[in-house]
mmCIF file of all heavy atoms in Angstrom:
data_model
loop_
_atom_site.group_PDB
_atom_site.id
_atom_site.type_symbol
_atom_site.label_atom_id
_atom_site.label_comp_id
_atom_site.label_asym_id
_atom_site.label_seq_id
_atom_site.Cartn_x
_atom_site.Cartn_y
_atom_site.Cartn_z
ATOM 1 N N SER Y 55 5.796 -43.565 -48.706
ATOM 2 C CA SER Y 55 6.898 -44.061 -49.652
ATOM 3 C C SER Y 55 8.299 -44.149 -49.095
ATOM 4 O O SER Y 55 8.961 -45.034 -49.465
ATOM 5 C CB SER Y 55 6.837 -43.296 -50.952
ATOM 6 O OG SER Y 55 7.349 -42.053 -50.771
ATOM 7 N N ASP Y 56 8.572 -43.165 -48.075
ATOM 8 C CA ASP Y 56 9.814 -43.271 -47.532
ATOM 9 C C ASP Y 56 9.938 -44.587 -46.626
ATOM 10 O O ASP Y 56 10.860 -45.288 -46.632
ATOM 11 C CB ASP Y 56 10.049 -42.092 -46.510
ATOM 12 C CG ASP Y 56 10.127 -40.738 -47.142
ATOM 13 O OD1 ASP Y 56 10.564 -40.740 -48.299
ATOM 14 O OD2 ASP Y 56 9.747 -39.659 -46.560
ATOM 15 N N LEU Y 57 8.868 -44.927 -45.871
ATOM 16 C CA LEU Y 57 8.890 -46.094 -45.021
ATOM 17 C C LEU Y 57 8.926 -47.300 -45.952
ATOM 18 O O LEU Y 57 9.713 -48.265 -45.636
ATOM 19 C CB LEU Y 57 7.486 -46.193 -44.261
ATOM 20 C CG LEU Y 57 7.552 -45.485 -42.845
ATOM 21 C CD1 LEU Y 57 7.943 -44.055 -42.761
ATOM 22 C CD2 LEU Y 57 6.089 -45.624 -42.282
ATOM 23 N N ALA Y 58 8.193 -47.249 -47.025
ATOM 24 C CA ALA Y 58 8.161 -48.508 -47.977
ATOM 25 C C ALA Y 58 9.528 -48.647 -48.579
ATOM 26 O O ALA Y 58 9.953 -49.781 -48.690
ATOM 27 C CB ALA Y 58 7.196 -48.222 -49.087
ATOM 28 N N THR Y 59 10.235 -47.538 -48.836
ATOM 29 C CA THR Y 59 11.569 -47.667 -49.488
ATOM 30 C C THR Y 59 12.564 -48.269 -48.506
ATOM 31 O O THR Y 59 13.377 -49.162 -48.870
ATOM 32 C CB THR Y 59 12.090 -46.247 -49.947
ATOM 33 O OG1 THR Y 59 11.109 -45.770 -50.900
ATOM 34 C CG2 THR Y 59 13.386 -46.309 -50.609
ATOM 35 N N HIS Y 60 12.494 -47.832 -47.275
ATOM 36 C CA HIS Y 60 13.379 -48.535 -46.277
ATOM 37 C C HIS Y 60 13.237 -50.044 -46.177
ATOM 38 O O HIS Y 60 14.126 -50.829 -46.095
ATOM 39 C CB HIS Y 60 13.186 -47.925 -44.796
ATOM 40 C CG HIS Y 60 13.663 -46.524 -44.658
ATOM 41 N ND1 HIS Y 60 15.140 -46.225 -44.785
ATOM 42 C CD2 HIS Y 60 13.228 -45.310 -44.371
ATOM 43 C CE1 HIS Y 60 15.337 -45.001 -44.607
ATOM 44 N NE2 HIS Y 60 14.172 -44.306 -44.302
ATOM 45 N N ALA Y 61 11.780 -50.441 -46.011
ATOM 46 C CA ALA Y 61 11.567 -51.784 -45.955
ATOM 47 C C ALA Y 61 11.937 -52.622 -47.248
ATOM 48 O O ALA Y 61 12.545 -53.678 -47.190
ATOM 49 C CB ALA Y 61 10.085 -52.038 -45.771
ATOM 50 N N ALA Y 62 11.761 -51.999 -48.488
ATOM 51 C CA ALA Y 62 12.192 -52.460 -49.757
ATOM 52 C C ALA Y 62 13.728 -52.758 -49.793
ATOM 53 O O ALA Y 62 14.153 -53.873 -50.162
ATOM 54 C CB ALA Y 62 11.707 -51.620 -50.877
ATOM 55 N N ASN Y 63 14.433 -51.716 -49.336
ATOM 56 C CA ASN Y 63 15.837 -51.864 -49.376
ATOM 57 C C ASN Y 63 16.381 -52.967 -48.428
ATOM 58 O O ASN Y 63 17.292 -53.842 -48.759
ATOM 59 C CB ASN Y 63 16.550 -50.567 -48.978
ATOM 60 C CG ASN Y 63 16.509 -49.553 -50.151
ATOM 61 O OD1 ASN Y 63 16.518 -49.942 -51.327
ATOM 62 N ND2 ASN Y 63 16.525 -48.282 -49.884
ATOM 63 N N ALA Y 64 15.685 -53.147 -47.219
ATOM 64 C CA ALA Y 64 15.985 -54.287 -46.235
ATOM 65 C C ALA Y 64 15.684 -55.634 -46.981
ATOM 66 O O ALA Y 64 16.472 -56.608 -46.876
ATOM 67 C CB ALA Y 64 15.157 -54.153 -45.094
ATOM 68 N N ALA Y 65 14.628 -55.750 -47.669
ATOM 69 C CA ALA Y 65 14.185 -56.933 -48.382
ATOM 70 C C ALA Y 65 15.166 -57.306 -49.543
ATOM 71 O O ALA Y 65 15.582 -58.464 -49.779
ATOM 72 C CB ALA Y 65 12.822 -56.987 -48.742
ATOM 73 N N LEU Y 66 15.500 -56.295 -50.192
ATOM 74 C CA LEU Y 66 16.572 -56.445 -51.287
ATOM 75 C C LEU Y 66 17.874 -56.834 -50.831
ATOM 76 O O LEU Y 66 18.495 -57.805 -51.278
ATOM 77 C CB LEU Y 66 16.731 -55.160 -52.115
ATOM 78 C CG LEU Y 66 15.636 -54.639 -52.940
ATOM 79 C CD1 LEU Y 66 15.687 -53.299 -53.495
ATOM 80 C CD2 LEU Y 66 15.454 -55.656 -54.290
ATOM 81 N N ALA Y 67 18.290 -56.247 -49.710
ATOM 82 C CA ALA Y 67 19.666 -56.703 -49.092
ATOM 83 C C ALA Y 67 19.494 -58.161 -48.692
ATOM 84 O O ALA Y 67 20.371 -58.935 -48.938
ATOM 85 C CB ALA Y 67 20.045 -55.854 -48.001
ATOM 86 N N ASP Y 68 18.364 -58.548 -48.147
ATOM 87 C CA ASP Y 68 18.234 -59.853 -47.578
ATOM 88 C C ASP Y 68 18.199 -60.850 -48.757
ATOM 89 O O ASP Y 68 18.796 -61.978 -48.683
ATOM 90 C CB ASP Y 68 16.852 -60.048 -46.887
ATOM 91 C CG ASP Y 68 16.682 -61.287 -46.224
ATOM 92 O OD1 ASP Y 68 17.601 -61.808 -45.532
ATOM 93 O OD2 ASP Y 68 15.527 -61.936 -46.415
ATOM 94 N N ALA Y 69 17.680 -60.414 -49.913
ATOM 95 C CA ALA Y 69 17.699 -61.340 -51.086
ATOM 96 C C ALA Y 69 19.025 -61.201 -51.912
ATOM 97 O O ALA Y 69 19.233 -62.048 -52.880
ATOM 98 C CB ALA Y 69 16.533 -60.896 -52.009
ATOM 99 N N GLY Y 70 19.854 -60.302 -51.645
ATOM 100 C CA GLY Y 70 21.210 -60.104 -52.466
ATOM 101 C C GLY Y 70 20.923 -59.512 -53.693
ATOM 102 O O GLY Y 70 21.481 -59.857 -54.701
ATOM 103 N N LEU Y 71 19.777 -58.666 -53.796
ATOM 104 C CA LEU Y 71 19.428 -58.008 -55.112
ATOM 105 C C LEU Y 71 19.491 -56.575 -54.926
ATOM 106 O O LEU Y 71 19.667 -55.975 -53.903
ATOM 107 C CB LEU Y 71 17.945 -58.502 -55.436
ATOM 108 C CG LEU Y 71 17.702 -59.948 -55.599
ATOM 109 C CD1 LEU Y 71 16.217 -60.257 -55.697
ATOM 110 C CD2 LEU Y 71 18.336 -60.584 -56.888
ATOM 111 N N THR Y 72 19.490 -55.827 -56.225
ATOM 112 C CA THR Y 72 19.330 -54.402 -56.136
ATOM 113 C C THR Y 72 17.911 -54.110 -56.831
ATOM 114 O O THR Y 72 17.267 -54.832 -57.422
ATOM 115 C CB THR Y 72 20.416 -53.818 -56.989
ATOM 116 O OG1 THR Y 72 20.199 -54.042 -58.351
ATOM 117 C CG2 THR Y 72 21.836 -54.240 -56.472
ATOM 118 N N GLY Y 73 17.536 -52.896 -56.777
ATOM 119 C CA GLY Y 73 16.298 -52.365 -57.166
ATOM 120 C C GLY Y 73 16.112 -52.738 -58.742
ATOM 121 O O GLY Y 73 15.062 -52.881 -59.261
ATOM 122 N N ALA Y 74 17.259 -52.639 -59.441
ATOM 123 C CA ALA Y 74 17.297 -52.919 -60.831
ATOM 124 C C ALA Y 74 16.860 -54.412 -61.279
ATOM 125 O O ALA Y 74 16.424 -54.628 -62.345
ATOM 126 C CB ALA Y 74 18.641 -52.626 -61.485
ATOM 127 N N ASP Y 75 16.924 -55.321 -60.279
ATOM 128 C CA ASP Y 75 16.650 -56.702 -60.588
ATOM 129 C C ASP Y 75 15.072 -57.001 -60.426
ATOM 130 O O ASP Y 75 14.705 -58.129 -60.737
ATOM 131 C CB ASP Y 75 17.236 -57.580 -59.454
ATOM 132 C CG ASP Y 75 18.822 -57.465 -59.626
ATOM 133 O OD1 ASP Y 75 19.295 -57.395 -60.678
ATOM 134 O OD2 ASP Y 75 19.520 -57.389 -58.504
ATOM 135 N N ILE Y 76 14.231 -56.011 -60.145
ATOM 136 C CA ILE Y 76 12.883 -56.267 -59.932
ATOM 137 C C ILE Y 76 12.053 -55.823 -61.136
ATOM 138 O O ILE Y 76 12.273 -54.979 -61.749
ATOM 139 C CB ILE Y 76 12.386 -55.364 -58.726
ATOM 140 C CG1 ILE Y 76 13.174 -55.583 -57.416
ATOM 141 C CG2 ILE Y 76 10.897 -55.426 -58.502
ATOM 142 C CD1 ILE Y 76 13.001 -57.008 -56.821
ATOM 143 N N ASP Y 77 11.074 -56.827 -61.409
ATOM 144 C CA ASP Y 77 10.218 -56.737 -62.523
ATOM 145 C C ASP Y 77 8.919 -55.831 -62.184
ATOM 146 O O ASP Y 77 8.480 -55.201 -63.076
ATOM 147 C CB ASP Y 77 9.652 -58.060 -63.097
ATOM 148 C CG ASP Y 77 10.831 -58.812 -63.457
ATOM 149 O OD1 ASP Y 77 11.850 -58.362 -64.142
ATOM 150 O OD2 ASP Y 77 10.831 -60.105 -63.286
ATOM 151 N N ALA Y 78 8.354 -56.160 -60.982
ATOM 152 C CA ALA Y 78 7.171 -55.393 -60.569
ATOM 153 C C ALA Y 78 7.137 -55.095 -59.109
ATOM 154 O O ALA Y 78 7.654 -55.851 -58.360
ATOM 155 C CB ALA Y 78 5.946 -56.248 -60.861
ATOM 156 N N ILE Y 79 6.591 -53.959 -58.840
ATOM 157 C CA ILE Y 79 6.553 -53.417 -57.361
ATOM 158 C C ILE Y 79 4.927 -53.160 -57.110
ATOM 159 O O ILE Y 79 4.317 -52.469 -57.875
ATOM 160 C CB ILE Y 79 7.362 -52.155 -57.184
ATOM 161 C CG1 ILE Y 79 8.761 -52.392 -57.604
ATOM 162 C CG2 ILE Y 79 7.035 -51.633 -55.838
ATOM 163 C CD1 ILE Y 79 9.513 -50.916 -57.820
ATOM 164 N N ILE Y 80 4.495 -53.925 -56.250
ATOM 165 C CA ILE Y 80 3.152 -53.757 -55.682
ATOM 166 C C ILE Y 80 3.155 -53.306 -54.188
ATOM 167 O O ILE Y 80 3.711 -53.900 -53.315
ATOM 168 C CB ILE Y 80 2.298 -55.107 -55.702
ATOM 169 C CG1 ILE Y 80 2.402 -55.806 -57.133
ATOM 170 C CG2 ILE Y 80 0.909 -54.895 -55.419
ATOM 171 C CD1 ILE Y 80 1.650 -57.026 -57.258
ATOM 172 N N LEU Y 81 2.599 -52.056 -53.955
ATOM 173 C CA LEU Y 81 2.532 -51.488 -52.752
ATOM 174 C C LEU Y 81 1.245 -51.413 -52.229
ATOM 175 O O LEU Y 81 0.295 -50.770 -52.811
ATOM 176 C CB LEU Y 81 3.211 -50.155 -52.810
ATOM 177 C CG LEU Y 81 3.041 -49.186 -51.457
ATOM 178 C CD1 LEU Y 81 3.604 -49.911 -50.269
ATOM 179 C CD2 LEU Y 81 3.973 -48.000 -51.701
ATOM 180 N N ALA Y 82 0.911 -52.187 -51.126
ATOM 181 C CA ALA Y 82 -0.404 -52.185 -50.352
ATOM 182 C C ALA Y 82 -0.423 -51.049 -49.419
ATOM 183 O O ALA Y 82 0.420 -50.986 -48.519
ATOM 184 C CB ALA Y 82 -0.640 -53.520 -49.723
ATOM 185 N N THR Y 83 -1.254 -50.045 -49.730
ATOM 186 C CA THR Y 83 -1.469 -48.925 -48.669
ATOM 187 C C THR Y 83 -2.795 -48.218 -48.833
ATOM 188 O O THR Y 83 -3.319 -48.199 -49.943
ATOM 189 C CB THR Y 83 -0.215 -47.899 -48.993
ATOM 190 O OG1 THR Y 83 -0.344 -47.007 -47.930
ATOM 191 C CG2 THR Y 83 -0.331 -47.195 -50.293
ATOM 192 N N SER Y 84 -3.342 -47.678 -47.804
ATOM 193 C CA SER Y 84 -4.470 -46.794 -47.776
ATOM 194 C C SER Y 84 -3.973 -45.214 -47.543
ATOM 195 O O SER Y 84 -4.814 -44.494 -47.427
ATOM 196 C CB SER Y 84 -5.453 -47.174 -46.896
ATOM 197 O OG SER Y 84 -5.892 -48.556 -47.024
ATOM 198 N N THR Y 85 -2.623 -45.129 -47.301
ATOM 199 C CA THR Y 85 -2.140 -43.858 -46.980
ATOM 200 C C THR Y 85 -0.969 -43.384 -47.960
ATOM 201 O O THR Y 85 0.067 -43.032 -47.473
ATOM 202 C CB THR Y 85 -1.604 -43.771 -45.467
ATOM 203 O OG1 THR Y 85 -0.861 -44.935 -45.364
ATOM 204 C CG2 THR Y 85 -2.812 -43.835 -44.598
ATOM 205 N N ALA Y 86 -1.248 -43.607 -49.310
ATOM 206 C CA ALA Y 86 -0.328 -43.057 -50.243
ATOM 207 C C ALA Y 86 0.024 -41.568 -50.041
ATOM 208 O O ALA Y 86 -0.801 -40.852 -49.571
ATOM 209 C CB ALA Y 86 -0.807 -43.338 -51.634
ATOM 210 N N ASP Y 87 1.321 -41.203 -50.333
ATOM 211 C CA ASP Y 87 1.742 -39.913 -50.224
ATOM 212 C C ASP Y 87 0.743 -38.770 -50.806
ATOM 213 O O ASP Y 87 0.491 -37.786 -50.262
ATOM 214 C CB ASP Y 87 3.149 -39.585 -50.762
ATOM 215 C CG ASP Y 87 4.240 -40.615 -50.277
ATOM 216 O OD1 ASP Y 87 3.768 -41.655 -49.738
ATOM 217 O OD2 ASP Y 87 5.427 -40.342 -50.598
ATOM 218 N N ASN Y 88 0.352 -39.123 -52.054
ATOM 219 C CA ASN Y 88 -0.517 -38.248 -52.839
ATOM 220 C C ASN Y 88 -1.674 -39.011 -53.410
ATOM 221 O O ASN Y 88 -1.508 -40.253 -53.464
ATOM 222 C CB ASN Y 88 0.203 -37.561 -53.977
ATOM 223 C CG ASN Y 88 1.355 -36.719 -53.532
ATOM 224 O OD1 ASN Y 88 2.573 -37.095 -53.500
ATOM 225 N ND2 ASN Y 88 0.980 -35.497 -53.073
ATOM 226 N N THR Y 89 -2.700 -38.386 -53.864
ATOM 227 C CA THR Y 89 -3.925 -39.117 -54.431
ATOM 228 C C THR Y 89 -3.297 -39.818 -55.705
ATOM 229 O O THR Y 89 -3.619 -40.961 -55.930
ATOM 230 C CB THR Y 89 -4.952 -38.144 -54.826
ATOM 231 O OG1 THR Y 89 -5.352 -37.379 -53.604
ATOM 232 C CG2 THR Y 89 -6.204 -38.806 -55.369
ATOM 233 N N PHE Y 90 -2.606 -39.245 -56.404
ATOM 234 C CA PHE Y 90 -1.726 -39.863 -57.423
ATOM 235 C C PHE Y 90 -0.410 -39.079 -57.636
ATOM 236 O O PHE Y 90 -0.432 -38.013 -57.295
ATOM 237 C CB PHE Y 90 -2.476 -40.224 -58.782
ATOM 238 C CG PHE Y 90 -2.663 -38.936 -59.645
ATOM 239 C CD1 PHE Y 90 -1.825 -38.491 -60.448
ATOM 240 C CD2 PHE Y 90 -4.035 -38.324 -59.670
ATOM 241 C CE1 PHE Y 90 -1.992 -37.398 -61.325
ATOM 242 C CE2 PHE Y 90 -4.224 -37.325 -60.404
ATOM 243 C CZ PHE Y 90 -3.195 -36.714 -61.430
ATOM 244 N N PRO Y 91 0.708 -39.563 -58.195
ATOM 245 C CA PRO Y 91 0.789 -40.984 -58.668
ATOM 246 C C PRO Y 91 0.826 -42.045 -57.581
ATOM 247 O O PRO Y 91 0.825 -41.602 -56.394
ATOM 248 C CB PRO Y 91 2.176 -40.941 -59.420
ATOM 249 C CG PRO Y 91 2.893 -39.877 -58.751
ATOM 250 C CD PRO Y 91 1.906 -38.788 -58.309
ATOM 251 N N SER Y 92 0.926 -43.199 -57.793
ATOM 252 C CA SER Y 92 0.995 -44.245 -56.819
ATOM 253 C C SER Y 92 2.266 -44.127 -55.972
ATOM 254 O O SER Y 92 3.296 -43.641 -56.370
ATOM 255 C CB SER Y 92 0.955 -45.699 -57.435
ATOM 256 O OG SER Y 92 2.184 -45.942 -58.241
ATOM 257 N N ALA Y 93 2.175 -44.453 -54.766
ATOM 258 C CA ALA Y 93 3.403 -44.448 -53.880
ATOM 259 C C ALA Y 93 4.314 -45.542 -54.457
ATOM 260 O O ALA Y 93 5.454 -45.387 -54.226
ATOM 261 C CB ALA Y 93 3.106 -44.737 -52.446
ATOM 262 N N ALA Y 94 3.810 -46.470 -55.099
ATOM 263 C CA ALA Y 94 4.734 -47.640 -55.564
ATOM 264 C C ALA Y 94 5.775 -47.049 -56.603
ATOM 265 O O ALA Y 94 6.891 -47.374 -56.674
ATOM 266 C CB ALA Y 94 3.950 -48.690 -56.297
ATOM 267 N N THR Y 95 5.310 -46.100 -57.431
ATOM 268 C CA THR Y 95 6.201 -45.454 -58.500
ATOM 269 C C THR Y 95 7.232 -44.577 -57.750
ATOM 270 O O THR Y 95 8.302 -44.491 -58.224
ATOM 271 C CB THR Y 95 5.488 -44.645 -59.493
ATOM 272 O OG1 THR Y 95 4.508 -43.720 -58.823
ATOM 273 C CG2 THR Y 95 4.617 -45.544 -60.401
ATOM 274 N N MET Y 96 6.855 -44.002 -56.621
ATOM 275 C CA MET Y 96 7.807 -43.231 -55.820
ATOM 276 C C MET Y 96 9.014 -44.241 -55.352
ATOM 277 O O MET Y 96 10.122 -43.870 -55.279
ATOM 278 C CB MET Y 96 7.143 -42.445 -54.659
ATOM 279 C CG MET Y 96 6.041 -41.501 -55.239
ATOM 280 S SD MET Y 96 5.221 -40.679 -53.847
ATOM 281 C CE MET Y 96 3.978 -39.863 -54.809
ATOM 282 N N VAL Y 97 8.495 -45.405 -54.815
ATOM 283 C CA VAL Y 97 9.482 -46.367 -54.226
ATOM 284 C C VAL Y 97 10.286 -46.857 -55.537
ATOM 285 O O VAL Y 97 11.523 -46.951 -55.370
ATOM 286 C CB VAL Y 97 8.700 -47.514 -53.692
ATOM 287 C CG1 VAL Y 97 9.754 -48.583 -53.285
ATOM 288 C CG2 VAL Y 97 7.926 -47.172 -52.398
ATOM 289 N N GLN Y 98 9.714 -47.018 -56.561
ATOM 290 C CA GLN Y 98 10.410 -47.458 -57.709
ATOM 291 C C GLN Y 98 11.710 -46.457 -58.092
ATOM 292 O O GLN Y 98 12.775 -47.021 -58.237
ATOM 293 C CB GLN Y 98 9.573 -47.546 -58.907
ATOM 294 C CG GLN Y 98 10.216 -48.060 -60.334
ATOM 295 C CD GLN Y 98 9.307 -48.003 -61.510
ATOM 296 O OE1 GLN Y 98 8.322 -47.294 -61.485
ATOM 297 N NE2 GLN Y 98 9.697 -48.701 -62.513
ATOM 298 N N ALA Y 99 11.273 -45.068 -58.093
ATOM 299 C CA ALA Y 99 12.315 -44.250 -58.246
ATOM 300 C C ALA Y 99 13.477 -44.267 -57.239
ATOM 301 O O ALA Y 99 14.583 -44.233 -57.631
ATOM 302 C CB ALA Y 99 11.694 -42.749 -58.481
ATOM 303 N N LYS Y 100 13.017 -44.387 -55.993
ATOM 304 C CA LYS Y 100 13.950 -44.356 -54.892
ATOM 305 C C LYS Y 100 14.900 -45.547 -54.785
ATOM 306 O O LYS Y 100 15.976 -45.530 -54.367
ATOM 307 C CB LYS Y 100 13.198 -44.146 -53.395
ATOM 308 C CG LYS Y 100 12.419 -42.783 -53.350
ATOM 309 C CD LYS Y 100 11.709 -42.612 -52.072
ATOM 310 C CE LYS Y 100 10.810 -41.558 -52.046
ATOM 311 N NZ LYS Y 100 9.931 -41.348 -50.879
ATOM 312 N N ILE Y 101 14.433 -46.680 -55.347
ATOM 313 C CA ILE Y 101 15.330 -47.924 -55.198
ATOM 314 C C ILE Y 101 16.066 -48.088 -56.618
ATOM 315 O O ILE Y 101 16.705 -49.072 -56.902
ATOM 316 C CB ILE Y 101 14.514 -49.227 -55.007
ATOM 317 C CG1 ILE Y 101 13.447 -49.570 -56.060
ATOM 318 C CG2 ILE Y 101 13.918 -49.084 -53.579
ATOM 319 C CD1 ILE Y 101 12.918 -50.881 -55.806
ATOM 320 N N GLY Y 102 15.915 -47.110 -57.543
ATOM 321 C CA GLY Y 102 16.664 -47.122 -58.708
ATOM 322 C C GLY Y 102 16.175 -48.083 -59.779
ATOM 323 O O GLY Y 102 16.955 -48.672 -60.449
#
Side-chain angles (χ1 to χ4, degrees):
S55 72
D56 293 331
L57 271 50
T59 303
H60 286 299
N63 282 329
L66 286 167
D68 186 46
L71 298 170
T72 70
D75 299 321
I76 298 297
D77 299 326
I79 301 164
I80 307 179
L81 172 49
T83 189
S84 301
T85 48
D87 306 14
N88 297 102
T89 304
F90 74 79
S92 68
T95 54
M96 299 177 189
V97 175
Q98 182 187 20
K100 291 179 196 178
I101 65 170

